[in-house]
Structure formats: structure tokens, C-alpha cells
């Protein structure tokens, strides 16, 4: 039987769409959004995937929201929970519940630029290389064992929008790749917090994309 995942989103869902389009050897049991009416929900429904909304605004506390989220996720019995543009900070209790089974994609080369507005901050810092990271989620925000990273150049005339688009194109490549490794049982989370990949299509989970200009 194919392993099952649940994808969590908050908005347009382009990473989720890339995962659905990749024909991965896994079953996407459901897509859950913390915001009603977002574009990603419609995309998922059009692909025939079950959708759920757990509206954070309907819960008085973070703990109550996370509890409802966990109950919703667990109804689908996924082996892995995949955050794809999910923009809520999760409580330690939630993260512990899915320890080693919770993946996130972040639009920077972690540990640089955790948090929000990563592309603006990369431009302000003057870095020459920027990118994205897929990592296991731990209690520390945007930390946790790194599975894969993709790097792109920062070009002299970049705006936040052009840099974001270049990074997003890489997100759409590495997240399906990582999920494929996971589904094929090729990812191992080692003691000490490092991830081992057996037989990755690109070495050691690193993807360098020189010369991308759009
Ligand atoms: C992506 O850049 C992701 O890395 C970040 O939020 C954005 C979500 O985009 N966490 P989308 O909803 O997948 O299109």
C-alpha cells in the first residue's frame, strides 16, 4: 500500500499543486487549510483530493486550534504531515506529536533568514546566493534537520518579486523530490539531527541552479 500524507496550506498552494502534479508514489489523503476559501483548497478539490478547513480564527487559543488540527489530521491516519506554505506557528505539543513525521519548506537557505520576508531580507543583506530548504520541523521555528536545499543566484537587478519567483521555481522542484525519497524509504533521520539520503538523484540533497534568470 502506498504511504499516506496530509498537506497543510494557508494560501495559494503552489507547492501543494507541485506535489499533486508530480505523480508521487504516495497517497495525498487530504489537504487542510487554516484559512477558508483560499486558492489552494480549490486546486486540491479540482484534483479530487479531500479538503478540510480548520479555521484558526474559530479557536480561542493556539492550543485549542492545534488540538483540532491534530484531530482532523489523525482522521486520515497519515504517515507524514507536509507543511506547504502553512503560515501558523505550531505549539510544542503539536510538534512533539508528529516528531520526525512533519516536514516544512522554507524560502531561504536555512539557517539564514528564518521567519518572514526572507527574500526582502536576502536582498537587504546583499547575499549572492539565496534559495530554499526542506527540513523536518522541530520546536525551534524554521530549524530542524535539513533534508534538501536548492540555491539560486541573486542578480543585480532583482526585486523581491523576481527573487521570490526564482526561489519558488526551485521549491517546486525539491519538495516533490524529497517526498519521493520519503515515499521510497530513502530518508533516514539520524541521531544528532542529520538526515541521510540513500541514492538521491542529486547528491546529498543539494541542488544548485546556476544561470536561472527568470
Ligand atoms: C512558499 O514560498 C513557502 O516556502 C513559504 O510560503 C510560500 C507558500 O507558497 N512557506 P504556496 O502557497 O506553496 O504557493
Amino acid at each position: 500500500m502506498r504511504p499516506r500524507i496530509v498537506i497543510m496550506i494557508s494560501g495559494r498552494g503552489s507547492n501543494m499543486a507541485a506535489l499533486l502534479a508530480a505523480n508521487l508514489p504516495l497517497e495525498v489523503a487530504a489537504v487542510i487549510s487554516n484559512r477558508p476559501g483560499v486558492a489552494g483548497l480549490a486546486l486540491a478539490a479540482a484534483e479530487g483530493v479531500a479538503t478540510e478547513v480548520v479555521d484558526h480564527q474559530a479557536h480561542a487559543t493556539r492550543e485549542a486550534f492545534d488540538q483540532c488540527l491534530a484531530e482532523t489530521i489523525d482522521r486520515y491516519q497519515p504517515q507524514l504531515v507536509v507543511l506547504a506554505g502553512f503560515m501558523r506557528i505550531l505549539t510544542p505539543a503539536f510538534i512533539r506529536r508528529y516528531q520526525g513525521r512533519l516536514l516544512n519548506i522554507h524560502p531561504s537557505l536555512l539557517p539564514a533568514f528564518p521567519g518572514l520576508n526572507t527574500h526582502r531580507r536576502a536582498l537587504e543583506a546583499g547575499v549572492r546566493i539565496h534559495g530554499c530548504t526542506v527540513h523536518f520541523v522541530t520546536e525551534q521555528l524554521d530549524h530542524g534537520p535539513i533534508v534538501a536545499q536548492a540555491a539560486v543566484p541573486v542578480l543585480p537587478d532583482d526585486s523581491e518579486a523576481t527573487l521570490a519567483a526564482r526561489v519558488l521555481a526551485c521549491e517546486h522542484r525539491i519538495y516533490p523530490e524529497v517526498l519521493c525519497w520519503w515515499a521510497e524509504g530513502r530518508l533516514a533521520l539520524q541521531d544528532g539531527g542529520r538526515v541521510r539520503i540513500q541514492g538521491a538523484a542529486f547528491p546529498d540533497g543539494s541542488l544548485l541552479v546556476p544561470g536561472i534568470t527568470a
Side-chain angles (χ1 to χ4, degrees):
M1 222 168 75
R2 294 186 306 167
R4 238 183 344 267
I5 69 168
V6 160
I7 302 176
M8 305 212 311
I9 64 168
S10 296
R12 71 187 162 182
S14 71
N15 274 291
M16 175 214 71
L19 293 174
L20 294 180
N23 282 319
L24 297 167
L26 51 78
E27 181 195 340
V28 180
V31 168
I32 303 175
S33 171
N34 65 304
R35 289 181 191 281
V38 295
L41 285 170
L43 284 175
E47 294 294 324
V49 177
T51 60
E52 300 268 0
V53 174
V54 181
D55 187 348
H56 62 277
Q57 292 187 318
H59 297 272
T61 63
R62 238 175 236 289
E63 285 71 22
F65 167 67
D66 279 9
Q67 181 62 33
C68 184
L69 201 53
E71 285 165 12
T72 308
I73 291 169
D74 290 351
R75 279 210 305 277
Y76 293 94
Q77 300 190 308
Q79 282 85 43
L80 188 75
V81 177
V82 176
L83 307 181
F86 183 74
M87 302 304 284
R88 299 292 297 174
I89 293 176
L90 296 161
T91 56
F94 182 96
I95 290 168
R96 277 197 296 273
R97 184 181 186 123
Y98 299 103
Q99 192 85 47
R101 300 198 291 135
L102 191 54
L103 277 183
N104 182 42
I105 188 157
H106 180 77
S108 78
L109 291 173
L110 291 173
F113 313 121
L116 297 173
N117 303 315
T118 54
H119 309 305
R120 188 190 316 158
R121 288 157 61 208
L123 287 172
E124 284 167 1
V127 296
R128 298 301 200 218
I129 297 173
H130 186 43
C132 56
T133 303
V134 176
H135 66 100
F136 283 99
V137 176
T138 57
E139 290 178 36
Q140 199 180 348
L141 181 69
D142 295 331
H143 275 69
I146 290 171
V147 183
Q149 293 187 305
V152 299
V154 179
L155 301 178
D157 294 330
D158 265 336
S159 64
E160 207 177 326
T162 57
L163 185 55
R166 191 174 309 122
V167 172
L168 191 65
C170 288
E171 294 183 42
H172 296 164
R173 287 176 62 182
I174 65 167
Y175 222 0
E177 191 73 37
V178 166
L179 267 289
C180 188
W181 297 336
W182 173 81
E184 291 174 350
R186 295 203 263 144
L187 282 191
L189 193 46
Q190 298 180 312
D191 292 343
R194 292 186 66 177
V195 176
R196 196 174 179 81
I197 307 159
Q198 282 155 344
F202 45 87
D204 304 323
S206 67
L207 174 65
L208 300 175
V209 190
I212 291 187
T213 53

mmCIF file with all atom_site columns, all heavy atoms in Angstrom, residues 12-15 85 105 107 171, ligand 1:
data_model
loop_
_atom_site.group_PDB
_atom_site.id
_atom_site.type_symbol
_atom_site.label_atom_id
_atom_site.label_alt_id
_atom_site.label_comp_id
_atom_site.label_asym_id
_atom_site.label_entity_id
_atom_site.label_seq_id
_atom_site.pdbx_PDB_ins_code
_atom_site.Cartn_x
_atom_site.Cartn_y
_atom_site.Cartn_z
_atom_site.occupancy
_atom_site.B_iso_or_equiv
_atom_site.pdbx_formal_charge
_atom_site.auth_seq_id
_atom_site.auth_comp_id
_atom_site.auth_asym_id
_atom_site.auth_atom_id
_atom_site.pdbx_PDB_model_num
ATOM   1  N N   . ARG A 1 12  ? -2.206 30.163 -1.547 1.00 0.00 ? 12  ARG A N   1
ATOM   2  C CA  . ARG A 1 12  ? -2.387 29.839 -2.972 1.00 0.00 ? 12  ARG A CA  1
ATOM   3  C C   . ARG A 1 12  ? -2.078 28.386 -3.286 1.00 0.00 ? 12  ARG A C   1
ATOM   4  O O   . ARG A 1 12  ? -2.562 27.835 -4.267 1.00 0.00 ? 12  ARG A O   1
ATOM   5  C CB  . ARG A 1 12  ? -1.523 30.775 -3.823 1.00 0.00 ? 12  ARG A CB  1
ATOM   6  C CG  . ARG A 1 12  ? -0.068 30.493 -3.705 1.00 0.00 ? 12  ARG A CG  1
ATOM   7  C CD  . ARG A 1 12  ? 0.838  31.471 -4.384 1.00 0.00 ? 12  ARG A CD  1
ATOM   8  N NE  . ARG A 1 12  ? 2.163  31.263 -3.778 1.00 0.00 ? 12  ARG A NE  1
ATOM   9  C CZ  . ARG A 1 12  ? 3.217  31.931 -4.070 1.00 0.00 ? 12  ARG A CZ  1
ATOM   10 N NH1 . ARG A 1 12  ? 3.170  32.906 -4.951 1.00 0.00 ? 12  ARG A NH1 1
ATOM   11 N NH2 . ARG A 1 12  ? 4.365  31.662 -3.472 1.00 0.00 ? 12  ARG A NH2 1
ATOM   12 N N   . GLY A 1 13  ? -1.188 27.758 -2.507 1.00 0.00 ? 13  GLY A N   1
ATOM   13 C CA  . GLY A 1 13  ? -0.983 26.314 -2.649 1.00 0.00 ? 13  GLY A CA  1
ATOM   14 C C   . GLY A 1 13  ? -0.189 25.879 -3.865 1.00 0.00 ? 13  GLY A C   1
ATOM   15 O O   . GLY A 1 13  ? -0.392 24.774 -4.364 1.00 0.00 ? 13  GLY A O   1
ATOM   16 N N   . SER A 1 14  ? 0.769  26.703 -4.297 1.00 0.00 ? 14  SER A N   1
ATOM   17 C CA  . SER A 1 14  ? 1.525  26.270 -5.485 1.00 0.00 ? 14  SER A CA  1
ATOM   18 C C   . SER A 1 14  ? 2.463  25.107 -5.166 1.00 0.00 ? 14  SER A C   1
ATOM   19 O O   . SER A 1 14  ? 2.686  24.239 -6.018 1.00 0.00 ? 14  SER A O   1
ATOM   20 C CB  . SER A 1 14  ? 2.297  27.440 -6.104 1.00 0.00 ? 14  SER A CB  1
ATOM   21 O OG  . SER A 1 14  ? 3.380  27.830 -5.307 1.00 0.00 ? 14  SER A OG  1
ATOM   22 N N   . ASN A 1 15  ? 3.004  25.058 -3.959 1.00 0.00 ? 15  ASN A N   1
ATOM   23 C CA  . ASN A 1 15  ? 3.829  23.891 -3.595 1.00 0.00 ? 15  ASN A CA  1
ATOM   24 C C   . ASN A 1 15  ? 2.971  22.629 -3.512 1.00 0.00 ? 15  ASN A C   1
ATOM   25 O O   . ASN A 1 15  ? 3.384  21.563 -3.968 1.00 0.00 ? 15  ASN A O   1
ATOM   26 C CB  . ASN A 1 15  ? 4.548  24.137 -2.268 1.00 0.00 ? 15  ASN A CB  1
ATOM   27 C CG  . ASN A 1 15  ? 5.855  24.875 -2.470 1.00 0.00 ? 15  ASN A CG  1
ATOM   28 O OD1 . ASN A 1 15  ? 6.802  24.317 -3.030 1.00 0.00 ? 15  ASN A OD1 1
ATOM   29 N ND2 . ASN A 1 15  ? 5.905  26.121 -2.061 1.00 0.00 ? 15  ASN A ND2 1
ATOM   30 N N   . GLY A 1 85  ? 3.560  26.021 2.723  1.00 0.00 ? 85  GLY A N   1
ATOM   31 C CA  . GLY A 1 85  ? 3.010  27.371 2.822  1.00 0.00 ? 85  GLY A CA  1
ATOM   32 C C   . GLY A 1 85  ? 1.989  27.482 3.932  1.00 0.00 ? 85  GLY A C   1
ATOM   33 O O   . GLY A 1 85  ? 1.036  28.259 3.829  1.00 0.00 ? 85  GLY A O   1
ATOM   34 N N   . ILE A 1 105 ? 8.706  23.405 4.086  1.00 0.00 ? 105 ILE A N   1
ATOM   35 C CA  . ILE A 1 105 ? 9.574  24.064 3.110  1.00 0.00 ? 105 ILE A CA  1
ATOM   36 C C   . ILE A 1 105 ? 9.654  25.533 3.469  1.00 0.00 ? 105 ILE A C   1
ATOM   37 O O   . ILE A 1 105 ? 8.639  26.167 3.784  1.00 0.00 ? 105 ILE A O   1
ATOM   38 C CB  . ILE A 1 105 ? 9.114  23.840 1.657  1.00 0.00 ? 105 ILE A CB  1
ATOM   39 C CG1 . ILE A 1 105 ? 10.179 24.376 0.704  1.00 0.00 ? 105 ILE A CG1 1
ATOM   40 C CG2 . ILE A 1 105 ? 7.745  24.451 1.371  1.00 0.00 ? 105 ILE A CG2 1
ATOM   41 C CD1 . ILE A 1 105 ? 10.144 23.747 -0.681 1.00 0.00 ? 105 ILE A CD1 1
ATOM   42 N N   . PRO A 1 107 ? 11.454 29.379 2.435  1.00 0.00 ? 107 PRO A N   1
ATOM   43 C CA  . PRO A 1 107 ? 12.076 30.063 1.302  1.00 0.00 ? 107 PRO A CA  1
ATOM   44 C C   . PRO A 1 107 ? 13.361 30.807 1.659  1.00 0.00 ? 107 PRO A C   1
ATOM   45 O O   . PRO A 1 107 ? 13.487 32.016 1.430  1.00 0.00 ? 107 PRO A O   1
ATOM   46 C CB  . PRO A 1 107 ? 10.976 31.017 0.830  1.00 0.00 ? 107 PRO A CB  1
ATOM   47 C CG  . PRO A 1 107 ? 10.202 31.326 2.063  1.00 0.00 ? 107 PRO A CG  1
ATOM   48 C CD  . PRO A 1 107 ? 10.268 30.093 2.934  1.00 0.00 ? 107 PRO A CD  1
ATOM   49 N N   . GLU A 1 171 ? 11.545 25.606 -5.236 1.00 0.00 ? 171 GLU A N   1
ATOM   50 C CA  . GLU A 1 171 ? 10.704 24.915 -4.244 1.00 0.00 ? 171 GLU A CA  1
ATOM   51 C C   . GLU A 1 171 ? 9.899  23.825 -4.935 1.00 0.00 ? 171 GLU A C   1
ATOM   52 O O   . GLU A 1 171 ? 9.751  22.717 -4.430 1.00 0.00 ? 171 GLU A O   1
ATOM   53 C CB  . GLU A 1 171 ? 9.760  25.904 -3.559 1.00 0.00 ? 171 GLU A CB  1
ATOM   54 C CG  . GLU A 1 171 ? 10.475 26.944 -2.710 1.00 0.00 ? 171 GLU A CG  1
ATOM   55 C CD  . GLU A 1 171 ? 9.502  27.867 -1.986 1.00 0.00 ? 171 GLU A CD  1
ATOM   56 O OE1 . GLU A 1 171 ? 8.487  27.375 -1.470 1.00 0.00 ? 171 GLU A OE1 1
ATOM   57 O OE2 . GLU A 1 171 ? 9.763  29.076 -1.940 1.00 0.00 ? 171 GLU A OE2 1
HETATM 58 C C1  . LIG B 2 .   ? 6.407  29.351 -0.198 1.00 0.00 ? 1   LIG B C1  1
HETATM 59 O O1  . LIG B 2 .   ? 7.415  30.243 -0.590 1.00 0.00 ? 1   LIG B O1  1
HETATM 60 C C2  . LIG B 2 .   ? 6.837  28.558 1.003  1.00 0.00 ? 1   LIG B C2  1
HETATM 61 O O2  . LIG B 2 .   ? 8.196  28.265 1.019  1.00 0.00 ? 1   LIG B O2  1
HETATM 62 C C3  . LIG B 2 .   ? 6.518  29.513 2.112  1.00 0.00 ? 1   LIG B C3  1
HETATM 63 O O3  . LIG B 2 .   ? 5.302  30.113 1.737  1.00 0.00 ? 1   LIG B O3  1
HETATM 64 C C4  . LIG B 2 .   ? 5.183  30.082 0.320  1.00 0.00 ? 1   LIG B C4  1
HETATM 65 C C5  . LIG B 2 .   ? 3.911  29.342 0.023  1.00 0.00 ? 1   LIG B C5  1
HETATM 66 O O4  . LIG B 2 .   ? 3.592  29.353 -1.327 1.00 0.00 ? 1   LIG B O4  1
HETATM 67 N N1  . LIG B 2 .   ? 6.492  28.843 3.392  1.00 0.00 ? 1   LIG B N1  1
HETATM 68 P P1  . LIG B 2 .   ? 2.491  28.371 -1.906 1.00 0.00 ? 1   LIG B P1  1
HETATM 69 O O5  . LIG B 2 .   ? 1.238  28.538 -1.051 1.00 0.00 ? 1   LIG B O5  1
HETATM 70 O O6  . LIG B 2 .   ? 3.022  26.980 -1.834 1.00 0.00 ? 1   LIG B O6  1
HETATM 71 O O7  . LIG B 2 .   ? 2.264  28.840 -3.311 1.00 0.00 ? 1   LIG B O7  1
#
